[in-house]
Amino acid sequence: MAGATVVIGAVVAFVLLGDDGPPSRAVVPAAVSPVPGEQDATPGPGESPSTLRELLPQSVGEFQLVTADSAPQFAENLDATDAVESQYLRPDGKEILHNVALYRDRARAAAGQDKLLGGFEEIGYQVVETNRSQGIEVTRLSGPKEALVWTHGPILATVEGPPDVTTQFYLDLPY
């Protein structure tokens, strides 16, 4: 069992660090600042997460994690190796939906992003802007809600919620 934990920890470290070193927020939409917030994420310092679910922080800004579930259908639809769907709530009732998918490599994550963006457009969202730099691609969409979709290495992530809080939620994420 200890060997499996080491292997999973190594995979998660690659996901977080990729082949470009630590994640960077150097390029994001004009409405999104490149400086991420500091968060209390699970697991703690020096610990390696053993599941994709454990990468999700318990709180993001004023939002608290309410649900986080494995999303095999989401992963299958986007040809990802693993995915998690989560819901965060703020005390005033505002909700953010946050999904994270893991791929074998950057190219597959980019293909998953293209597929996901097409799905957003099919349900009435429109791309507002897309920025790329240093291995990160962030697309902001407007529609029934605001959505941000980004890739960093083999990770594809989304944030969807009210326009007045979605960008800040993204900025407050530790990844």
Side-chain angles (χ1 to χ4, degrees), residues 22 49-50 79 93 129:
S50 60
D79 301 319
E129 62 184 320

Side-chain angles (χ1 to χ4, degrees), residues 63-130:
F63 288 85
Q64 295 297 314
L65 180 63
V66 177
T67 62
D69 299 308
S70 179
Q73 190 63 48
F74 182 72
E76 183 179 326
N77 291 344
L78 295 175
D79 301 319
T81 58
D82 192 12
V84 63
E85 298 174 328
S86 62
Q87 174 192 28
Y88 287 81
L89 286 177
R90 204 165 73 170
D92 65 3
K94 290 194 178 186
E95 174 188 57
I96 290 286
L97 302 177
H98 177 44
N99 298 324
V100 180
L102 175 63
Y103 291 84
R104 288 189 176 96
D105 56 46
R106 178 184 322 246
R108 288 185 174 112
Q113 182 178 27
D114 290 343
K115 193 172 187 179
L116 184 60
L117 290 172
F120 269 110
E121 289 174 342
E122 286 178 12
I123 60 171
Y125 282 82
Q126 294 182 336
V127 172
V128 174
E129 62 184 320
T130 298

